[in-house]
Amino acid sequence: MSLSEIQARILKAEEAAGRAPGVTQLIAVSKVQPNERVEAVLDEGHRLFGENKVQEAAGKWPAFQETYPDAKVHLLGPLQTNKARQAMQLFEAIHSLDRPKLANTIARLAQELGHCPDLFIQVNTGEEEQKAGVLPADADAFISDCRALDLPIVGLMCIPPVDEEPSLHFALMRKIAERNGVAGLSMGMSGDFEKAVALGATHVRVGSAIFGARDYG
Ligand SMILES: *Cc1c(COP(=O)(O)O)cnc(C)c1O
């Protein structure tokens, strides 16, 4: 699928849901993709990208940003505290804030660096053992603890279980966001972004549908 095709499908889903056209931001997930494919999407004019790993992003984005200075990158994958400083310098937003220790580290570094990326709190809506994120039952308390640390919490993020209907998870996310006054919802990937848009996603994270399958070689 082409980038413009994805954008058209997002617009259509926004209209069908009675949402304002263009409210959903498309994050093109470029992890593991060859540089030529990423450059092709940059050449098409797209400027918002997502990466899963600090190291991988650090290895390619500073060079891309020399040519495309307005390109922005969001971190979508888990973040170790010892990489928080580097992440805060590289990324415009971090979607994987998921524990008190990381919140405390980011708060301390924000003081020191004088800036902080936008932060999304990851919610483990499927309560899966192997997945990161706060449990739905702990979300309200964690959001309020992060706000007490003056962290810029702009949204929530989830990755639904692969074998469940994603809409149920997206609806739960919207409920948690609404009752906490959180504006952003980072949800929806290649297979389900239209469902996410229907349920209020402000950011969809689409990789393989734009770039093709990832080759982990
Ligand atoms: C890889 C990844 C995506 C994109 O997945 P696709 O199925 O290729 O669209 C989105 N979000 C996160 C957190 C990811 O790790």
Side-chain angles (χ1 to χ4, degrees), residues 20-178:
V23 288
T24 313
Q25 296 202 50
L26 172 59
I27 301 174
V29 183
S30 50
K31 65 181 182 202
V32 189
Q33 298 289 353
N35 285 350
E36 313 85 75
R37 287 195 198 159
V38 182
E39 263 163 13
V41 171
L42 280 161
D43 280 341
E44 283 184 75
H46 196 73
R47 290 296 179 267
L48 181 56
F49 293 82
E51 288 284 343
N52 255 38
K53 293 186 173 156
V54 177
Q55 231 41 47
E56 185 185 340
K60 61 190 194 194
W61 279 98
F64 284 144
Q65 284 164 328
E66 275 181 30
T67 315
Y68 305 93
D70 52 345
K72 306 271 192 269
V73 191
H74 289 192
L75 178 66
L76 311 177
L79 178 58
Q80 295 171 279
T81 47
N82 64 4
K83 298 216 174 104
R85 176 191 297 272
Q86 194 183 6
M88 290 171 73
Q89 287 161 336
L90 267 172
F91 299 103
E92 191 204 29
I94 294 170
H95 291 232
S96 49
L97 176 54
D98 62 352
R99 60 197 191 280
K101 187 179 176 206
L102 182 59
N104 287 319
T105 301
I106 292 177
R108 177 173 50 76
L109 288 168
Q111 289 289 319
E112 185 191 321
L113 299 170
H115 86 102
C116 188
D118 288 341
L119 300 172
F120 291 75
I121 289 172
Q122 184 173 353
V123 184
N124 186 356
T125 57
E127 307 194 20
E128 294 172 282
E129 196 101 9
Q130 79 282 8
K131 217 164 253 176
V134 296
L135 295 174
D138 298 334
D140 296 8
F142 188 57
I143 292 166
S144 117
D145 289 348
C146 287
R147 285 174 167 158
L149 288 169
D150 272 335
L151 293 177
I153 303 301
V154 305
L156 307 178
M157 182 274 248
C158 80
I159 309 169
V162 288
D163 54 349
E164 289 182 24
E165 171 52 49
S167 292
L168 301 175
H169 295 268
F170 299 154
L172 172 61
M173 288 279 281
R174 180 154 82 173
K175 219 151 82 185
I176 298 170
E178 272 172 5

